[in-house]
Amino acid sequence: MPDLDPVREALRASMTAWATLEVRGDQARVVPAPDPDRLTEHLDRLDADWSLGWACDQAGPYVVRARLSAAGVSREGLSTGPTLRDAKLAALAEAARFYGVGSTGEGHWVEYDPEEGANTADLEPTLDAAPDPGRTALPPEPPRDPQMEKARQHIDELMDQIRAAGKGKEAQRLLMSGYGKTVAESREIYKELQAILRS
């Protein structure tokens, strides 16, 4: 099994950006996210073959999928945001969570200005502090369930067919909260996606 501790360290060290998830009037909900430039600096030193890619599944609101591959392991995050940049950062933050790094909360509500964006000046990412070298403060890698991996793959394949049929926008709403937390939930999502494809 690959050692993911260096990848987690790189993600923690680059967790200096903020992604806006939603805007309500003069308030915005934000979550900490890896800064792509800082992440690149750290991962370049660790793994010459690492990669990061994004796919925009929908615009208005933006729905973005981020795929981060490092140390022989790939993790994918799916998220939405009011701007393409925010959706990309949020998707990267979601991918980082699958490596075991990131915030599990709902984020922070801050003041929002349409021209200036979210005011995150008073916020500090909780993961920005350097870990104590005397002990490992990294969470364990989330357990991988082969059935869930297979279910996710089936959903991705079905989504490709749905997009080819021109029904991706409708189907994407089902995946806004992910692929389901259990195999049973994933099956229900798959059935609903099948219904969209047939309609």
Side-chain angles (χ1 to χ4, degrees):
M1 180 145 206
D3 178 13
L4 295 182
D5 282 352
V7 178
R8 291 187 189 112
E9 289 289 351
L11 286 164
R12 283 179 179 274
S14 64
M15 196 73 72
T16 58
W18 291 94
T20 299
L21 299 181
E22 63 179 306
V23 176
R24 291 184 189 168
D26 63 350
Q27 298 286 304
R29 184 164 62 97
V30 297
V31 294
D35 178 277
D37 292 333
R38 288 192 68 178
L39 183 61
T40 297
E41 291 172 19
H42 290 286
L43 289 181
D44 277 347
R45 287 182 241 144
L46 297 175
D47 181 359
D49 295 325
W50 80 275
S51 65
L52 172 61
W54 279 281
C56 185
D57 292 344
Q58 174 184 312
Y62 291 94
V63 177
V64 172
R65 185 182 310 271
R67 183 175 181 83
L68 176 61
S69 300
V73 174
S74 295
R75 296 285 187 260
E76 195 171 274
L78 177 73
S79 197
T80 183
T83 68
L84 181 58
R85 179 185 180 277
D86 286 314
K88 287 173 71 174
L89 285 174
L92 180 55
E94 186 68 16
R97 276 189 25 185
F98 287 113
Y99 276 97
V101 177
S103 172
T104 56
E106 294 296 312
H108 304 276
W109 285 95
V110 296
E111 292 179 0
Y112 179 80
D113 180 282
E115 293 179 12
E116 300 291 325
N119 180 7
T120 58
D122 295 334
L123 296 178
E124 288 186 26
T126 55
L127 302 173
D128 202 29
D132 180 357
R135 63 185 176 91
T136 303
L138 295 172
E141 179 184 0
R144 292 181 66 182
D145 180 347
Q147 286 187 317
M148 282 300 291
E149 294 283 329
K150 196 168 187 180
R152 187 177 183 151
Q153 183 179 356
H154 288 311
I155 288 173
D156 283 340
E157 290 169 0
L158 185 57
M159 278 300 294
D160 289 340
Q161 295 173 31
I162 290 170
R163 283 189 202 99
K167 300 176 182 179
K169 190 172 184 179
E170 182 183 354
Q172 194 60 50
R173 291 190 187 108
L174 280 176
L175 294 181
M176 291 300 287
S177 58
Y179 292 83
K181 293 184 175 138
T182 65
V183 174
E185 286 180 15
S186 293
R187 283 189 186 128
E188 288 304 312
I189 292 170
Y190 188 84
K191 287 177 188 174
E192 291 180 51
L193 290 172
Q194 281 183 318
I196 290 172
L197 182 60
R198 292 186 191 123
S199 65

PDB file of all heavy atoms in Angstrom, residues 2 5 10 24 26 29 36 38 71-72 74 77 80 90 103 110 125 136-137 139 143 154 165 171 180 186-187:
ATOM      1  N   PRO A   2       0.584   2.228  -0.870  1.00  0.00           N
ATOM      2  CA  PRO A   2       1.433   3.422  -0.946  1.00  0.00           C
ATOM      3  C   PRO A   2       1.380   4.238   0.355  1.00  0.00           C
ATOM      4  O   PRO A   2       0.368   4.251   1.045  1.00  0.00           O
ATOM      5  CB  PRO A   2       0.852   4.204  -2.127  1.00  0.00           C
ATOM      6  CG  PRO A   2      -0.479   3.626  -2.393  1.00  0.00           C
ATOM      7  CD  PRO A   2      -0.508   2.247  -1.840  1.00  0.00           C
ATOM      8  N   ASP A   5       1.235   9.605   3.596  1.00  0.00           N
ATOM      9  CA  ASP A   5       1.557  10.670   4.542  1.00  0.00           C
ATOM     10  C   ASP A   5       2.197  11.890   3.876  1.00  0.00           C
ATOM     11  O   ASP A   5       1.796  13.026   4.165  1.00  0.00           O
ATOM     12  CB  ASP A   5       2.454  10.149   5.665  1.00  0.00           C
ATOM     13  CG  ASP A   5       1.666   9.354   6.703  1.00  0.00           C
ATOM     14  OD1 ASP A   5       0.421   9.346   6.616  1.00  0.00           O
ATOM     15  OD2 ASP A   5       2.289   8.758   7.596  1.00  0.00           O
ATOM     16  N   ALA A  10       1.544  17.564   2.068  1.00  0.00           N
ATOM     17  CA  ALA A  10       1.503  18.569   0.995  1.00  0.00           C
ATOM     18  C   ALA A  10       0.140  19.243   0.954  1.00  0.00           C
ATOM     19  O   ALA A  10       0.037  20.468   0.787  1.00  0.00           O
ATOM     20  CB  ALA A  10       1.818  17.914  -0.347  1.00  0.00           C
ATOM     21  N   ARG A  24     -25.639  34.256  -0.179  1.00  0.00           N
ATOM     22  CA  ARG A  24     -27.002  34.665   0.167  1.00  0.00           C
ATOM     23  C   ARG A  24     -26.969  36.140   0.539  1.00  0.00           C
ATOM     24  O   ARG A  24     -26.582  36.496   1.640  1.00  0.00           O
ATOM     25  CB  ARG A  24     -27.532  33.853   1.347  1.00  0.00           C
ATOM     26  CG  ARG A  24     -27.779  32.402   1.024  1.00  0.00           C
ATOM     27  CD  ARG A  24     -28.392  31.701   2.204  1.00  0.00           C
ATOM     28  NE  ARG A  24     -28.433  30.266   1.994  1.00  0.00           N
ATOM     29  CZ  ARG A  24     -28.708  29.391   2.945  1.00  0.00           C
ATOM     30  NH1 ARG A  24     -28.967  29.795   4.171  1.00  0.00           N
ATOM     31  NH2 ARG A  24     -28.724  28.106   2.679  1.00  0.00           N
ATOM     32  N   ASP A  26     -25.683  39.446   1.300  1.00  0.00           N
ATOM     33  CA  ASP A  26     -24.351  39.960   1.627  1.00  0.00           C
ATOM     34  C   ASP A  26     -23.560  38.979   2.484  1.00  0.00           C
ATOM     35  O   ASP A  26     -22.620  39.343   3.167  1.00  0.00           O
ATOM     36  CB  ASP A  26     -24.457  41.318   2.325  1.00  0.00           C
ATOM     37  CG  ASP A  26     -25.175  41.237   3.665  1.00  0.00           C
ATOM     38  OD1 ASP A  26     -25.763  40.168   3.972  1.00  0.00           O
ATOM     39  OD2 ASP A  26     -25.162  42.231   4.404  1.00  0.00           O
ATOM     40  N   ARG A  29     -20.924  31.457   2.236  1.00  0.00           N
ATOM     41  CA  ARG A  29     -20.414  30.312   2.988  1.00  0.00           C
ATOM     42  C   ARG A  29     -19.134  29.841   2.320  1.00  0.00           C
ATOM     43  O   ARG A  29     -19.121  29.552   1.121  1.00  0.00           O
ATOM     44  CB  ARG A  29     -21.447  29.185   3.030  1.00  0.00           C
ATOM     45  CG  ARG A  29     -21.014  27.996   3.875  1.00  0.00           C
ATOM     46  CD  ARG A  29     -22.183  27.086   4.202  1.00  0.00           C
ATOM     47  NE  ARG A  29     -22.782  26.507   3.027  1.00  0.00           N
ATOM     48  CZ  ARG A  29     -22.508  25.293   2.554  1.00  0.00           C
ATOM     49  NH1 ARG A  29     -21.622  24.533   3.159  1.00  0.00           N
ATOM     50  NH2 ARG A  29     -23.125  24.846   1.481  1.00  0.00           N
ATOM     51  N   PRO A  36      -3.925  25.767  -5.413  1.00  0.00           N
ATOM     52  CA  PRO A  36      -3.308  24.928  -6.451  1.00  0.00           C
ATOM     53  C   PRO A  36      -1.829  25.223  -6.693  1.00  0.00           C
ATOM     54  O   PRO A  36      -1.046  24.301  -6.923  1.00  0.00           O
ATOM     55  CB  PRO A  36      -4.147  25.222  -7.701  1.00  0.00           C
ATOM     56  CG  PRO A  36      -5.468  25.664  -7.172  1.00  0.00           C
ATOM     57  CD  PRO A  36      -5.165  26.410  -5.901  1.00  0.00           C
ATOM     58  N   ARG A  38       0.434  26.437  -4.504  1.00  0.00           N
ATOM     59  CA  ARG A  38       1.230  25.901  -3.387  1.00  0.00           C
ATOM     60  C   ARG A  38       1.257  24.375  -3.427  1.00  0.00           C
ATOM     61  O   ARG A  38       2.273  23.755  -3.140  1.00  0.00           O
ATOM     62  CB  ARG A  38       0.657  26.382  -2.055  1.00  0.00           C
ATOM     63  CG  ARG A  38       0.919  27.860  -1.823  1.00  0.00           C
ATOM     64  CD  ARG A  38       0.615  28.272  -0.419  1.00  0.00           C
ATOM     65  NE  ARG A  38       1.566  27.677   0.508  1.00  0.00           N
ATOM     66  CZ  ARG A  38       1.551  27.900   1.812  1.00  0.00           C
ATOM     67  NH1 ARG A  38       0.646  28.692   2.333  1.00  0.00           N
ATOM     68  NH2 ARG A  38       2.436  27.331   2.605  1.00  0.00           N
ATOM     69  N   ALA A  71       1.210   9.660  -5.483  1.00  0.00           N
ATOM     70  CA  ALA A  71       1.704   8.469  -4.784  1.00  0.00           C
ATOM     71  C   ALA A  71       0.950   7.215  -5.205  1.00  0.00           C
ATOM     72  O   ALA A  71       0.711   6.317  -4.414  1.00  0.00           O
ATOM     73  CB  ALA A  71       1.616   8.655  -3.268  1.00  0.00           C
ATOM     74  N   GLY A  72       0.527   7.169  -6.469  1.00  0.00           N
ATOM     75  CA  GLY A  72      -0.153   5.988  -6.986  1.00  0.00           C
ATOM     76  C   GLY A  72      -1.604   5.858  -6.588  1.00  0.00           C
ATOM     77  O   GLY A  72      -2.230   4.827  -6.835  1.00  0.00           O
ATOM     78  N   SER A  74      -5.531   7.820  -6.619  1.00  0.00           N
ATOM     79  CA  SER A  74      -6.344   8.905  -7.172  1.00  0.00           C
ATOM     80  C   SER A  74      -7.570   9.122  -6.302  1.00  0.00           C
ATOM     81  O   SER A  74      -8.177   8.168  -5.829  1.00  0.00           O
ATOM     82  CB  SER A  74      -6.794   8.568  -8.596  1.00  0.00           C
ATOM     83  OG  SER A  74      -5.688   8.501  -9.456  1.00  0.00           O
ATOM     84  N   GLY A  77     -13.098  14.682  -6.364  1.00  0.00           N
ATOM     85  CA  GLY A  77     -14.067  15.491  -5.630  1.00  0.00           C
ATOM     86  C   GLY A  77     -15.022  16.153  -6.599  1.00  0.00           C
ATOM     87  O   GLY A  77     -14.646  16.515  -7.714  1.00  0.00           O
ATOM     88  N   THR A  80     -19.818  22.364  -6.228  1.00  0.00           N
ATOM     89  CA  THR A  80     -20.435  23.458  -6.970  1.00  0.00           C
ATOM     90  C   THR A  80     -19.978  24.777  -6.372  1.00  0.00           C
ATOM     91  O   THR A  80     -19.497  24.815  -5.237  1.00  0.00           O
ATOM     92  CB  THR A  80     -21.970  23.345  -6.925  1.00  0.00           C
ATOM     93  OG1 THR A  80     -22.544  24.390  -7.716  1.00  0.00           O
ATOM     94  CG2 THR A  80     -22.502  23.442  -5.516  1.00  0.00           C
ATOM     95  N   ALA A  90     -13.455  24.229  -4.480  1.00  0.00           N
ATOM     96  CA  ALA A  90     -14.310  23.379  -3.639  1.00  0.00           C
ATOM     97  C   ALA A  90     -14.170  21.913  -4.031  1.00  0.00           C
ATOM     98  O   ALA A  90     -14.152  21.026  -3.169  1.00  0.00           O
ATOM     99  CB  ALA A  90     -15.765  23.836  -3.737  1.00  0.00           C
ATOM    100  N   SER A 103     -11.679  19.958   6.025  1.00  0.00           N
ATOM    101  CA  SER A 103     -12.711  20.290   6.994  1.00  0.00           C
ATOM    102  C   SER A 103     -13.936  19.420   6.756  1.00  0.00           C
ATOM    103  O   SER A 103     -14.361  19.232   5.628  1.00  0.00           O
ATOM    104  CB  SER A 103     -13.082  21.771   6.842  1.00  0.00           C
ATOM    105  OG  SER A 103     -14.190  22.082   7.630  1.00  0.00           O
ATOM    106  N   VAL A 110     -19.413  34.365   6.066  1.00  0.00           N
ATOM    107  CA  VAL A 110     -18.652  35.613   6.140  1.00  0.00           C
ATOM    108  C   VAL A 110     -19.367  36.679   5.315  1.00  0.00           C
ATOM    109  O   VAL A 110     -20.284  36.380   4.539  1.00  0.00           O
ATOM    110  CB  VAL A 110     -17.202  35.426   5.614  1.00  0.00           C
ATOM    111  CG1 VAL A 110     -16.428  34.455   6.479  1.00  0.00           C
ATOM    112  CG2 VAL A 110     -17.201  34.978   4.152  1.00  0.00           C
ATOM    113  N   PRO A 125      -7.403  28.988   8.071  1.00  0.00           N
ATOM    114  CA  PRO A 125      -7.649  27.561   7.868  1.00  0.00           C
ATOM    115  C   PRO A 125      -7.117  26.772   9.055  1.00  0.00           C
ATOM    116  O   PRO A 125      -5.990  26.982   9.488  1.00  0.00           O
ATOM    117  CB  PRO A 125      -6.887  27.225   6.587  1.00  0.00           C
ATOM    118  CG  PRO A 125      -6.704  28.539   5.895  1.00  0.00           C
ATOM    119  CD  PRO A 125      -6.631  29.571   6.988  1.00  0.00           C
ATOM    120  N   THR A 136       2.638  11.989  14.688  1.00  0.00           N
ATOM    121  CA  THR A 136       1.917  12.117  13.435  1.00  0.00           C
ATOM    122  C   THR A 136       0.478  12.508  13.736  1.00  0.00           C
ATOM    123  O   THR A 136      -0.234  11.789  14.427  1.00  0.00           O
ATOM    124  CB  THR A 136       1.942  10.790  12.653  1.00  0.00           C
ATOM    125  OG1 THR A 136       3.300  10.442  12.449  1.00  0.00           O
ATOM    126  CG2 THR A 136       1.241  10.914  11.324  1.00  0.00           C
ATOM    127  N   ALA A 137       0.065  13.660  13.229  1.00  0.00           N
ATOM    128  CA  ALA A 137      -1.281  14.157  13.500  1.00  0.00           C
ATOM    129  C   ALA A 137      -2.209  13.931  12.310  1.00  0.00           C
ATOM    130  O   ALA A 137      -3.259  14.532  12.222  1.00  0.00           O
ATOM    131  CB  ALA A 137      -1.220  15.643  13.824  1.00  0.00           C
ATOM    132  N   PRO A 139      -4.867  12.078   9.875  1.00  0.00           N
ATOM    133  CA  PRO A 139      -5.912  11.067  10.008  1.00  0.00           C
ATOM    134  C   PRO A 139      -5.616   9.877   9.107  1.00  0.00           C
ATOM    135  O   PRO A 139      -4.909  10.009   8.109  1.00  0.00           O
ATOM    136  CB  PRO A 139      -7.170  11.800   9.532  1.00  0.00           C
ATOM    137  CG  PRO A 139      -6.675  12.879   8.638  1.00  0.00           C
ATOM    138  CD  PRO A 139      -5.314  13.260   9.150  1.00  0.00           C
ATOM    139  N   PRO A 143     -11.235   4.118   4.687  1.00  0.00           N
ATOM    140  CA  PRO A 143     -11.258   2.751   4.167  1.00  0.00           C
ATOM    141  C   PRO A 143     -11.915   2.701   2.797  1.00  0.00           C
ATOM    142  O   PRO A 143     -12.907   3.389   2.555  1.00  0.00           O
ATOM    143  CB  PRO A 143     -12.082   1.977   5.206  1.00  0.00           C
ATOM    144  CG  PRO A 143     -12.816   3.009   5.972  1.00  0.00           C
ATOM    145  CD  PRO A 143     -12.040   4.279   5.880  1.00  0.00           C
ATOM    146  N   HIS A 154     -19.818   2.570 -11.945  1.00  0.00           N
ATOM    147  CA  HIS A 154     -21.049   2.383 -12.733  1.00  0.00           C
ATOM    148  C   HIS A 154     -21.794   3.704 -12.915  1.00  0.00           C
ATOM    149  O   HIS A 154     -22.311   3.995 -14.004  1.00  0.00           O
ATOM    150  CB  HIS A 154     -21.967   1.359 -12.061  1.00  0.00           C
ATOM    151  CG  HIS A 154     -21.478  -0.055 -12.163  1.00  0.00           C
ATOM    152  ND1 HIS A 154     -21.065  -0.639 -13.342  1.00  0.00           N
ATOM    153  CD2 HIS A 154     -21.336  -1.029 -11.217  1.00  0.00           C
ATOM    154  CE1 HIS A 154     -20.684  -1.885 -13.126  1.00  0.00           C
ATOM    155  NE2 HIS A 154     -20.833  -2.144 -11.836  1.00  0.00           N
ATOM    156  N   ALA A 165     -26.442  11.899 -24.262  1.00  0.00           N
ATOM    157  CA  ALA A 165     -27.844  12.051 -24.665  1.00  0.00           C
ATOM    158  C   ALA A 165     -28.349  13.474 -24.441  1.00  0.00           C
ATOM    159  O   ALA A 165     -29.516  13.760 -24.693  1.00  0.00           O
ATOM    160  CB  ALA A 165     -28.718  11.061 -23.893  1.00  0.00           C
ATOM    161  N   ALA A 171     -29.326  15.366 -14.681  1.00  0.00           N
ATOM    162  CA  ALA A 171     -28.740  14.271 -13.914  1.00  0.00           C
ATOM    163  C   ALA A 171     -27.721  14.769 -12.893  1.00  0.00           C
ATOM    164  O   ALA A 171     -27.590  14.195 -11.810  1.00  0.00           O
ATOM    165  CB  ALA A 171     -28.071  13.275 -14.862  1.00  0.00           C
ATOM    166  N   GLY A 180     -23.513   8.860  -2.754  1.00  0.00           N
ATOM    167  CA  GLY A 180     -24.182   8.089  -1.715  1.00  0.00           C
ATOM    168  C   GLY A 180     -23.172   7.587  -0.712  1.00  0.00           C
ATOM    169  O   GLY A 180     -22.016   7.351  -1.046  1.00  0.00           O
ATOM    170  N   SER A 186     -26.144   4.383  -3.280  1.00  0.00           N
ATOM    171  CA  SER A 186     -25.589   4.461  -4.640  1.00  0.00           C
ATOM    172  C   SER A 186     -26.506   3.766  -5.643  1.00  0.00           C
ATOM    173  O   SER A 186     -26.688   4.242  -6.762  1.00  0.00           O
ATOM    174  CB  SER A 186     -24.197   3.821  -4.689  1.00  0.00           C
ATOM    175  OG  SER A 186     -23.282   4.574  -3.951  1.00  0.00           O
ATOM    176  N   ARG A 187     -27.099   2.646  -5.238  1.00  0.00           N
ATOM    177  CA  ARG A 187     -28.040   1.945  -6.127  1.00  0.00           C
ATOM    178  C   ARG A 187     -29.257   2.809  -6.432  1.00  0.00           C
ATOM    179  O   ARG A 187     -29.743   2.826  -7.567  1.00  0.00           O
ATOM    180  CB  ARG A 187     -28.471   0.632  -5.476  1.00  0.00           C
ATOM    181  CG  ARG A 187     -27.420  -0.448  -5.563  1.00  0.00           C
ATOM    182  CD  ARG A 187     -27.961  -1.790  -5.094  1.00  0.00           C
ATOM    183  NE  ARG A 187     -26.892  -2.762  -5.061  1.00  0.00           N
ATOM    184  CZ  ARG A 187     -26.587  -3.522  -4.029  1.00  0.00           C
ATOM    185  NH1 ARG A 187     -27.298  -3.452  -2.928  1.00  0.00           N
ATOM    186  NH2 ARG A 187     -25.591  -4.376  -4.087  1.00  0.00           N
TER     187      ARG A 187
END
